[in-house]
PDB file of all heavy atoms in Angstrom:
ATOM      1  N   VAL A 101     -87.066  -4.430   1.066  1.00 76.00           N
ATOM      2  CA  VAL A 101     -87.892  -3.201   0.861  1.00 76.00           C
ATOM      3  C   VAL A 101     -87.649  -2.710  -0.497  1.00 76.00           C
ATOM      4  O   VAL A 101     -88.481  -2.312  -1.238  1.00 76.00           O
ATOM      5  CB  VAL A 101     -87.550  -2.139   1.969  1.00 76.00           C
ATOM      6  CG1 VAL A 101     -88.183  -0.814   1.608  1.00 76.00           C
ATOM      7  CG2 VAL A 101     -88.021  -2.660   3.278  1.00 76.00           C
ATOM      8  N   ILE A 104     -89.547  -4.596  -3.121  1.00 75.00           N
ATOM      9  CA  ILE A 104     -90.999  -4.276  -3.118  1.00 75.00           C
ATOM     10  C   ILE A 104     -91.165  -2.923  -3.866  1.00 75.00           C
ATOM     11  O   ILE A 104     -92.118  -2.751  -4.670  1.00 75.00           O
ATOM     12  CB  ILE A 104     -91.616  -4.245  -1.709  1.00 75.00           C
ATOM     13  CG1 ILE A 104     -91.555  -5.572  -1.145  1.00 75.00           C
ATOM     14  CG2 ILE A 104     -92.904  -3.553  -1.656  1.00 75.00           C
ATOM     15  CD1 ILE A 104     -91.877  -5.659   0.357  1.00 75.00           C
ATOM     16  N   LYS A 105     -90.314  -1.926  -3.616  1.00 78.00           N
ATOM     17  CA  LYS A 105     -90.419  -0.664  -4.228  1.00 78.00           C
ATOM     18  C   LYS A 105     -90.344  -0.695  -5.764  1.00 78.00           C
ATOM     19  O   LYS A 105     -91.009   0.042  -6.487  1.00 78.00           O
ATOM     20  CB  LYS A 105     -89.383   0.382  -3.739  1.00 78.00           C
ATOM     21  CG  LYS A 105     -89.514   0.775  -2.302  1.00 78.00           C
ATOM     22  CD  LYS A 105     -88.380   1.743  -1.940  1.00 78.00           C
ATOM     23  CE  LYS A 105     -88.532   2.253  -0.519  1.00 78.00           C
ATOM     24  NZ  LYS A 105     -87.396   3.053  -0.118  1.00 78.00           N
ATOM     25  N   GLU A 106     -89.550  -1.642  -6.230  1.00 80.00           N
ATOM     26  CA  GLU A 106     -89.358  -1.795  -7.656  1.00 80.00           C
ATOM     27  C   GLU A 106     -90.442  -2.573  -8.403  1.00 80.00           C
ATOM     28  O   GLU A 106     -90.483  -2.607  -9.609  1.00 80.00           O
ATOM     29  CB  GLU A 106     -88.021  -2.505  -7.932  1.00 80.00           C
ATOM     30  CG  GLU A 106     -86.808  -1.579  -7.533  1.00 80.00           C
ATOM     31  CD  GLU A 106     -85.504  -2.272  -7.647  1.00 80.00           C
ATOM     32  OE1 GLU A 106     -85.414  -3.499  -7.953  1.00 80.00           O
ATOM     33  OE2 GLU A 106     -84.507  -1.546  -7.439  1.00 80.00           O
ATOM     34  N   GLN A 107     -91.417  -3.096  -7.633  1.00 75.00           N
ATOM     35  CA  GLN A 107     -92.539  -3.881  -8.131  1.00 75.00           C
ATOM     36  C   GLN A 107     -93.497  -2.812  -8.820  1.00 75.00           C
ATOM     37  O   GLN A 107     -93.730  -1.777  -8.294  1.00 75.00           O
ATOM     38  CB  GLN A 107     -93.236  -4.698  -7.249  1.00 75.00           C
ATOM     39  CG  GLN A 107     -92.502  -5.906  -6.734  1.00 75.00           C
ATOM     40  CD  GLN A 107     -93.353  -6.739  -5.788  1.00 75.00           C
ATOM     41  OE1 GLN A 107     -94.434  -6.410  -5.460  1.00 75.00           O
ATOM     42  NE2 GLN A 107     -92.677  -7.808  -5.303  1.00 75.00           N
ATOM     43  N   HIS A 108     -94.046  -3.178  -9.987  1.00 72.00           N
ATOM     44  CA  HIS A 108     -95.028  -2.321 -10.600  1.00 72.00           C
ATOM     45  C   HIS A 108     -96.451  -2.723 -10.147  1.00 72.00           C
ATOM     46  O   HIS A 108     -97.264  -3.245 -10.898  1.00 72.00           O
ATOM     47  CB  HIS A 108     -94.915  -2.397 -12.111  1.00 72.00           C
ATOM     48  CG  HIS A 108     -93.525  -2.003 -12.581  1.00 72.00           C
ATOM     49  ND1 HIS A 108     -93.089  -0.730 -12.475  1.00 72.00           N
ATOM     50  CD2 HIS A 108     -92.515  -2.689 -13.050  1.00 72.00           C
ATOM     51  CE1 HIS A 108     -91.862  -0.653 -12.945  1.00 72.00           C
ATOM     52  NE2 HIS A 108     -91.424  -1.904 -13.298  1.00 72.00           N
ATOM     53  N   SER A 109     -96.653  -2.509  -8.843  1.00 76.00           N
ATOM     54  CA  SER A 109     -97.945  -2.889  -8.301  1.00 76.00           C
ATOM     55  C   SER A 109     -98.543  -1.692  -7.553  1.00 76.00           C
ATOM     56  O   SER A 109     -97.781  -1.002  -6.851  1.00 76.00           O
ATOM     57  CB  SER A 109     -97.732  -4.035  -7.265  1.00 76.00           C
ATOM     58  OG  SER A 109     -98.834  -4.200  -6.465  1.00 76.00           O
ATOM     59  N   ALA A 110     -99.853  -1.662  -7.571  1.00 77.00           N
ATOM     60  CA  ALA A 110    -100.536  -0.556  -6.841  1.00 77.00           C
ATOM     61  C   ALA A 110    -100.398  -0.726  -5.377  1.00 77.00           C
ATOM     62  O   ALA A 110    -100.443   0.277  -4.628  1.00 77.00           O
ATOM     63  CB  ALA A 110    -102.029  -0.543  -7.284  1.00 77.00           C
ATOM     64  N   ALA A 111    -100.127  -1.955  -4.878  1.00 71.00           N
ATOM     65  CA  ALA A 111    -100.032  -2.198  -3.524  1.00 71.00           C
ATOM     66  C   ALA A 111     -98.611  -1.932  -2.893  1.00 71.00           C
ATOM     67  O   ALA A 111     -98.379  -1.880  -1.786  1.00 71.00           O
ATOM     68  CB  ALA A 111    -100.414  -3.622  -3.160  1.00 71.00           C
ATOM     69  N   ALA A 112     -97.631  -1.884  -3.789  1.00 69.00           N
ATOM     70  CA  ALA A 112     -96.257  -1.715  -3.364  1.00 69.00           C
ATOM     71  C   ALA A 112     -96.000  -0.521  -2.475  1.00 69.00           C
ATOM     72  O   ALA A 112     -95.331  -0.680  -1.358  1.00 69.00           O
ATOM     73  CB  ALA A 112     -95.269  -1.682  -4.565  1.00 69.00           C
ATOM     74  N   PRO A 113     -96.513   0.707  -2.830  1.00 72.00           N
ATOM     75  CA  PRO A 113     -96.257   1.798  -1.875  1.00 72.00           C
ATOM     76  C   PRO A 113     -96.749   1.572  -0.453  1.00 72.00           C
ATOM     77  O   PRO A 113     -96.191   1.862   0.576  1.00 72.00           O
ATOM     78  CB  PRO A 113     -96.945   2.966  -2.570  1.00 72.00           C
ATOM     79  CG  PRO A 113     -96.963   2.647  -4.002  1.00 72.00           C
ATOM     80  CD  PRO A 113     -97.206   1.082  -3.944  1.00 72.00           C
ATOM     81  N   ASP A 114     -98.004   0.968  -0.410  1.00 64.00           N
ATOM     82  CA  ASP A 114     -98.623   0.674   0.879  1.00 64.00           C
ATOM     83  C   ASP A 114     -97.848  -0.362   1.663  1.00 64.00           C
ATOM     84  O   ASP A 114     -97.632  -0.234   2.880  1.00 64.00           O
ATOM     85  CB  ASP A 114    -100.092   0.124   0.706  1.00 64.00           C
ATOM     86  CG  ASP A 114    -100.998   1.246   0.165  1.00 64.00           C
ATOM     87  OD1 ASP A 114    -100.683   2.451   0.376  1.00 64.00           O
ATOM     88  OD2 ASP A 114    -102.064   0.907  -0.439  1.00 64.00           O
ATOM     89  N   ALA A 115     -97.350  -1.313   0.972  1.00 64.00           N
ATOM     90  CA  ALA A 115     -96.519  -2.382   1.657  1.00 64.00           C
ATOM     91  C   ALA A 115     -95.257  -1.782   2.200  1.00 64.00           C
ATOM     92  O   ALA A 115     -94.867  -2.051   3.309  1.00 64.00           O
ATOM     93  CB  ALA A 115     -96.173  -3.498   0.631  1.00 64.00           C
ATOM     94  N   VAL A 116     -94.579  -0.881   1.456  1.00 60.00           N
ATOM     95  CA  VAL A 116     -93.374  -0.266   1.994  1.00 60.00           C
ATOM     96  C   VAL A 116     -93.719   0.590   3.164  1.00 60.00           C
ATOM     97  O   VAL A 116     -92.970   0.590   4.108  1.00 60.00           O
ATOM     98  CB  VAL A 116     -92.708   0.528   0.856  1.00 60.00           C
ATOM     99  CG1 VAL A 116     -91.592   1.371   1.396  1.00 60.00           C
ATOM    100  CG2 VAL A 116     -92.214  -0.334  -0.233  1.00 60.00           C
ATOM    101  N   GLU A 117     -94.813   1.315   3.149  1.00 65.00           N
ATOM    102  CA  GLU A 117     -95.211   2.165   4.251  1.00 65.00           C
ATOM    103  C   GLU A 117     -95.468   1.293   5.497  1.00 65.00           C
ATOM    104  O   GLU A 117     -94.981   1.687   6.563  1.00 65.00           O
ATOM    105  CB  GLU A 117     -96.519   2.901   3.976  1.00 65.00           C
ATOM    106  CG  GLU A 117     -96.880   3.952   5.029  1.00 65.00           C
ATOM    107  CD  GLU A 117     -98.006   4.792   4.577  1.00 65.00           C
ATOM    108  OE1 GLU A 117     -98.212   5.004   3.382  1.00 65.00           O
ATOM    109  OE2 GLU A 117     -98.728   5.270   5.471  1.00 65.00           O
ATOM    110  N   VAL A 118     -96.061   0.166   5.384  1.00 59.00           N
ATOM    111  CA  VAL A 118     -96.297  -0.792   6.528  1.00 59.00           C
ATOM    112  C   VAL A 118     -94.935  -1.230   7.048  1.00 59.00           C
ATOM    113  O   VAL A 118     -94.720  -1.341   8.235  1.00 59.00           O
ATOM    114  CB  VAL A 118     -97.181  -1.949   6.087  1.00 59.00           C
ATOM    115  CG1 VAL A 118     -97.170  -2.952   7.198  1.00 59.00           C
ATOM    116  CG2 VAL A 118     -98.594  -1.466   5.812  1.00 59.00           C
ATOM    117  N   LEU A 119     -94.014  -1.639   6.153  1.00 57.00           N
ATOM    118  CA  LEU A 119     -92.717  -2.104   6.593  1.00 57.00           C
ATOM    119  C   LEU A 119     -92.028  -1.028   7.375  1.00 57.00           C
ATOM    120  O   LEU A 119     -91.152  -1.353   8.228  1.00 57.00           O
ATOM    121  CB  LEU A 119     -91.887  -2.623   5.400  1.00 57.00           C
ATOM    122  CG  LEU A 119     -92.457  -3.894   4.765  1.00 57.00           C
ATOM    123  CD1 LEU A 119     -91.672  -4.184   3.513  1.00 57.00           C
ATOM    124  CD2 LEU A 119     -92.363  -5.082   5.764  1.00 57.00           C
ATOM    125  N   HIS A 120     -92.039   0.239   6.980  1.00 57.00           N
ATOM    126  CA  HIS A 120     -91.406   1.253   7.646  1.00 57.00           C
ATOM    127  C   HIS A 120     -91.812   1.455   9.167  1.00 57.00           C
ATOM    128  O   HIS A 120     -91.098   2.017   9.849  1.00 57.00           O
ATOM    129  CB  HIS A 120     -91.430   2.567   6.875  1.00 57.00           C
ATOM    130  CG  HIS A 120     -90.459   2.634   5.736  1.00 57.00           C
ATOM    131  ND1 HIS A 120     -90.880   2.490   4.477  1.00 57.00           N
ATOM    132  CD2 HIS A 120     -89.134   2.799   5.747  1.00 57.00           C
ATOM    133  CE1 HIS A 120     -89.778   2.618   3.655  1.00 57.00           C
ATOM    134  NE2 HIS A 120     -88.725   2.778   4.421  1.00 57.00           N
TER     135      HIS A 120
END
Side-chain angles (χ1 to χ4, degrees):
V101 171
I104 292 169
K105 286 179 180 178
E106 292 173 354
Q107 289 182 0
H108 300 292
S109 164
D114 292 335
V116 170
E117 187 173 333
V118 168
L119 290 174
H120 279 106

